[in-house]
Amino acid sequence: MGLFLSIQEWKMNRYEKRMATMEAKGICPDCNGRGMNILSFNEYYLTNDFDCPGCNGSGLYTDWHENNQ
Ligand SMILES: [Zn+2]
């Protein structure tokens, strides 16, 4: 259990660090500010919609934050 908890903690710290970096840079964590989500490329290709669902394609942290409250 101790190991499990420390992994959880490590993941949380990593996540928070990433969020802090993205917030400082002002870019969307889902697409790294590109405005589209590469991981969902095939899925979105079918609908001709490349916009990142997290930030609606703006690539801005503020938009992502609003959409993920
Ligand atoms: Zn995005």
Side-chain angles (χ1 to χ4, degrees):
M1 265 326 253
L3 182 65
F4 178 74
L5 280 176
S6 61
I7 289 173
Q8 286 287 92
E9 239 170 68
W10 176 76
K11 275 186 183 170
M12 279 299 292
N13 285 340
R14 224 167 141 242
Y15 178 80
E16 277 171 19
K17 259 185 204 167
R18 182 171 148 79
M19 287 300 122
T21 306
M22 293 301 169
E23 188 174 10
K25 288 181 180 174
I27 58 179
C28 167
D30 283 354
C31 61
N32 290 323
R34 283 187 294 256
M36 58 182 193
N37 202 326
I38 299 299
L39 292 173
S40 303
F41 184 80
N42 289 326
E43 186 185 329
Y44 284 90
Y45 179 74
L46 296 171
T47 56
N48 273 336
D49 182 7
F50 298 96
D51 287 354
C52 165
C55 60
N56 291 326
S58 72
L60 298 173
Y61 180 88
T62 47
D63 286 340
W64 175 86
H65 187 68
E66 260 178 45
N67 290 329
N68 287 277
Q69 272 175 346

